[in-house]
């Protein structure tokens, strides 16, 4: 499903910041930038039409960007950052009570997924910066689950979109060789994956990344 562009929403390309969908439940976030909250308008109706249970963060003291939410398939990590505070993270835990929810400190202007993402059911793709390494160490301390890690030299390249198509086909959308050639060399070793390079240069100028360009829905939709 593709949402139409709107001149009234100059950062509307970053739709992935406005909601997260896990199983049959959608959570509409509350972006830290007040002007961006208009981007969430209409999402509740959309998700209800798609037969999701819908929750919306309305607490005026809470902020939450979905780029700070990392769902591993087994648990949820929420980055406490410039964009997401503890009240926002608490709403994630309240909404998804079937999953363990842990918080991870993120420094500077970054989101949690600025330097990490899932590259498979049990594989974390992680950048090489000190910030990425600290976050990874914290996540390892917080979980009882074992994750394989795939380390890439460039933090932005660690933000990928993983999808399983059918019972055996693994697809990974990653940043292009023109942007991050050294990181792409790491991805090219994943010979059992279908690799889809995608340029994200213009979106990155808005502070966005690949996962911020879409909302992943892990089920077959009847539309």
């Amino acid at each position: 499903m593709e949402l139409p562009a709107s001149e009234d929403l100059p950062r509307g390309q970053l739709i992935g910041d406005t909601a997260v969908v896990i199983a049959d439940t959608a959570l509409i976030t509350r972006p830290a930038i007040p002007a961006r909250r208009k981007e969430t308008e209409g999402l509740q109706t959309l998700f209800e039409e798609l037969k999701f249970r819908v929750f919306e963060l309305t607490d005026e003291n809470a902020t939450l960007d979905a780029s700070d939410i990392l769902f591993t398939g087994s648990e949820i990590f929420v980055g406490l950052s410039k964009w997401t505070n503890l009240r926002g993270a608490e709403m994630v835990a309240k909404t998804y009570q079937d999953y363990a929810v842990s918080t991870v400190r993120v420094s500077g202007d970054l989101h949690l997924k600025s330097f990490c993402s899932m590259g498979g059911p049990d594989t974390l793709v992680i950048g090489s910066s000190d910030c990425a390494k600290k976050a990874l160490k914290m996540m390892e301390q917080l979980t009882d689950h074992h994750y394989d890690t795939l380390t890439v030299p460039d933090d932005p390249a660690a933000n990928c979109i993983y999808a399983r198509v059918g019972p055996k086909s693994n697809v990974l959308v990653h940043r292009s060789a023109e942007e991050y050639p050294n990181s792409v060399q790491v991805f090219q070793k994943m010979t059992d994956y279908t690799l889809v390079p995608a340029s994200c240069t213009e979106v990155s100028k808005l502070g966005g990344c690949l996962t911020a360009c879409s909302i992943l829905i892990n089920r077959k939709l009847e539309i």
Side-chain angles (χ1 to χ4, degrees):
M1 174 181 293
E2 183 175 345
L3 299 179
S6 173
E7 294 183 358
D8 295 332
L9 304 173
R11 296 171 66 91
Q13 303 100 311
L14 308 181
I15 185 68
D17 280 341
T18 62
V20 61
V21 177
I22 298 174
D24 65 347
T25 302
L27 173 61
I28 300 171
T29 66
R30 189 171 187 272
I33 300 175
R36 293 201 62 196
R37 292 170 194 164
K38 188 177 180 181
E39 297 170 21
T40 65
E41 294 178 2
L43 287 179
Q44 179 161 344
T45 299
L46 173 64
F47 288 131
E48 287 175 347
E49 290 175 349
L50 296 174
K51 310 300 182 186
F52 285 99
R53 294 193 309 147
V54 184
F55 295 87
E56 184 170 4
L57 181 55
T58 57
D59 184 341
E60 293 184 356
N61 295 313
T63 59
L64 178 65
D65 270 14
S67 287
D68 276 317
I69 302 173
L70 179 66
F71 176 54
T72 70
S74 302
E75 60 190 317
I76 303 170
F77 293 103
V78 181
L80 297 182
S81 69
K82 175 181 177 180
W83 315 102
T84 297
N85 64 15
L86 184 58
R87 296 289 287 270
E90 288 172 347
M91 183 61 181
V92 176
K94 182 178 179 181
T95 303
Y96 299 107
Q97 296 183 25
D98 290 341
Y99 296 96
V101 176
S102 303
T103 57
V104 179
R105 290 283 176 185
V106 179
S107 61
D109 292 334
L110 301 174
H111 291 92
L112 177 61
K113 290 197 288 190
S114 295
F115 48 76
C116 69
S117 63
M118 297 307 296
D122 294 300
T123 300
L124 275 168
V125 184
I126 191 79
S128 296
S129 69
D130 288 341
C131 183
K133 292 175 182 177
K134 289 178 182 177
L136 176 61
K137 184 177 180 179
M138 189 174 300
M139 287 189 283
E140 289 175 337
Q141 291 173 343
L142 290 168
T143 185
D144 293 327
H145 192 84
H146 172 75
Y147 298 101
D148 295 323
T149 55
L150 180 69
T151 303
V152 295
D154 307 289
D155 277 10
N159 180 268
C160 308
I161 300 173
Y162 168 77
R164 186 148 195 169
V165 182
K168 296 182 179 180
S169 181
N170 295 301
V171 178
L172 191 72
V173 183
H174 61 81
R175 299 292 285 269
S176 67
E178 289 75 19
E179 296 172 294
Y180 299 107
N182 293 331
S183 292
V184 170
Q185 289 180 12
V186 177
F187 294 131
Q188 288 174 341
K189 297 176 183 178
M190 304 171 72
T191 56
D192 55 340
Y193 278 61
T194 298
L195 300 176
V196 182
S199 177
C200 198
T201 304
E202 293 303 313
V203 170
S204 65
K205 292 178 182 178
L206 298 173
C209 50
L210 280 178
T211 57
C213 297
S214 63
I215 300 172
L216 289 185
I217 297 175
N218 188 24
R219 76 178 190 188
K220 185 178 181 180
L221 296 178
E222 297 179 3
I223 55 176

